[in-house]
Amino acid sequence: MRLIFAGTPEFAAQALAALIQAGHDIALVLTQPDRPAGRGMKLKPSPVKVLALEHGLRVEQPLSLKHADAQAMLQQVEAELMVVAAYGLLLPQAVLDIPARGCLNIHASLLPRWRGAAPIQRALLAGDAETGITIMQMDAGLDTGAIRSLHRLPIAADDTAASLHDKLAQLGAEAIVAALATLDQLPTIAQPSDGVTYAHKLEKAEAEIDWQQHAACVVRRILAYHPVPGAFSQWQGQGLKVWRASIVDHDTPATAQTPAGTVYQLTPEGAVVQCGQGQVRLDELQLAGGKRLSGREFFAGRTQWVGTTLGSTTA
């Protein structure tokens, strides 16, 4: 099938690779403009651009698709269908109407749950038992188009945003290839009005750990923000990133003697911290300016942490 592909990050690059492998004619690849990255802030191409150029595909990086010249470029391609995956630009109705068979989106949730920018992280924060991939027929709304196929994926207890991203990227690549192979047989089902939730864009401030929460909520936050932006707290005025943690107690409440955030005790595996209810063990962490270490390595010889309090107000 003659396609336009629109996508930017690694999640999208895996889908593009699968479509190339499946033998589709990728007539045009759209991706975000190169962005400054790294210490030198040199312009860096997106993973989709890198892959497309490796395969000799035509790449365009418009700032917007609202202008007539960009839309004329898409019309000239005469594509049968456009595949969109984490592109980063809104597609106006005029663009959605250009391909003969419209535009299919690879969305990393089971719509209508988690429409929007950060479905992987929001599913983890909410403690969802499963997520998945929706192949959606795009319309002008925010992830409101008709469902063409759903592909479910259980969320493992130790899944981070990184590990779940990788699983969903692979599933999305498989799902879009399967969808194009059976497109004429796929149903077109309007999304139900019940169960709609929105996966709002991540803000760095959200990643600060609130030790007043239940231990399960604290661990979910750490998993959801791993690796970016990384869940964080403070210890005696120093920044502290927490990369991994596990629940060791579900029930013990914080008290006046042991308030939330207190480093309760050291164990061979790491430090146990009191939450609003329950306790967590810090299994992997990093003090500002230091190395990322296992809890065992980090707390070796750091007995002075016992009895201190993590958070913006430290004891």
Side-chain angles (χ1 to χ4, degrees):
M1 190 179 297
R2 186 170 175 82
L3 304 175
I4 297 171
F5 184 87
T8 298
E10 180 60 31
F11 178 90
Q14 291 199 36
L16 176 58
L19 291 169
I20 294 169
Q21 180 66 30
H24 291 284
D25 175 15
I26 315 297
L28 174 65
V29 173
L30 301 176
T31 191
Q32 286 280 298
D34 298 359
R35 305 293 189 196
R39 291 186 178 181
M41 296 301 287
K42 294 182 179 179
L43 291 178
K44 183 178 180 180
S46 73
V48 163
K49 180 179 179 180
V50 171
L51 178 65
L53 293 179
E54 286 175 354
H55 287 270
L57 302 178
R58 177 187 173 188
V59 176
E60 297 291 345
Q61 299 172 274
L63 294 174
S64 171
L65 294 177
K66 296 179 181 179
H67 303 303
D69 55 348
Q71 294 173 16
M73 172 187 68
L74 299 181
Q75 289 173 330
Q76 291 165 5
V77 172
E78 296 183 343
E80 189 173 355
L81 185 138
M82 183 188 296
V83 173
V84 182
Y87 178 32
L89 283 183
L90 291 175
L91 273 61
Q93 189 63 50
V95 169
L96 297 175
D97 292 339
I98 289 173
R101 306 189 71 167
C103 303
L104 292 182
N105 178 249
I106 309 169
H107 186 76
S109 80
L110 300 173
L111 292 171
R113 187 161 178 80
W114 303 128
R115 296 173 178 172
I120 295 174
Q121 292 87 350
R122 297 301 176 198
L124 287 167
L125 282 169
D128 289 359
E130 67 172 358
T131 182
I133 291 291
T134 302
I135 302 299
M136 180 189 72
Q137 191 79 40
M138 296 179 70
D139 62 18
L142 177 62
D143 299 327
T144 56
I147 296 168
R148 304 303 304 272
S149 64
L150 284 174
H151 308 263
R152 298 180 181 276
L153 178 72
I155 298 177
D158 60 349
D159 264 327
T160 65
S163 66
L164 197 53
H165 166 279
D166 292 349
K167 293 176 184 179
L168 287 168
Q170 180 179 347
L171 182 59
E174 295 168 355
I176 190 61
V177 170
L180 295 189
T182 59
L183 193 57
D184 291 332
Q185 289 77 48
L186 289 181
T188 302
I189 303 171
Q191 290 188 37
S193 56
D194 293 338
V196 175
T197 58
Y198 289 92
H200 298 290
K201 184 179 178 181
L202 298 180
E203 302 290 344
K204 184 176 180 180
E206 292 180 66
E208 182 170 10
I209 298 169
D210 180 0
W211 299 104
Q212 298 285 347
Q213 291 185 322
H214 191 282
C217 296
V218 169
V219 170
R220 289 204 298 262
R221 185 175 297 264
I222 292 164
L223 294 172
Y225 292 108
H226 179 111
V228 178
F232 66 93
S233 190
Q234 292 184 44
W235 181 75
Q236 297 190 346
Q238 300 178 73
L240 180 72
K241 278 208 170 182
V242 182
W243 294 104
R244 288 190 182 273
S246 51
I247 301 171
V248 294
D249 179 279
H250 285 270
D251 303 317
T252 303
T255 64
Q257 291 74 33
T258 310
T262 300
V263 181
Y264 181 70
Q265 65 178 2
L266 298 187
T267 73
E269 293 81 19
V272 174
V273 179
Q274 179 67 50
C275 301
Q277 183 176 343
Q279 297 173 339
V280 301
R281 186 183 65 228
L282 306 183
D283 296 325
E284 188 177 0
L285 61 168
Q286 182 178 11
L287 205 57
K291 294 181 178 180
R292 181 171 165 176
L293 299 169
S294 69
R296 179 186 296 272
E297 295 172 304
F298 187 94
F299 288 106
R302 282 188 159 127
T303 56
Q304 75 272 23
W305 281 60
V306 177
T308 61
T309 305
L310 304 180
S312 56
T313 303
T314 55

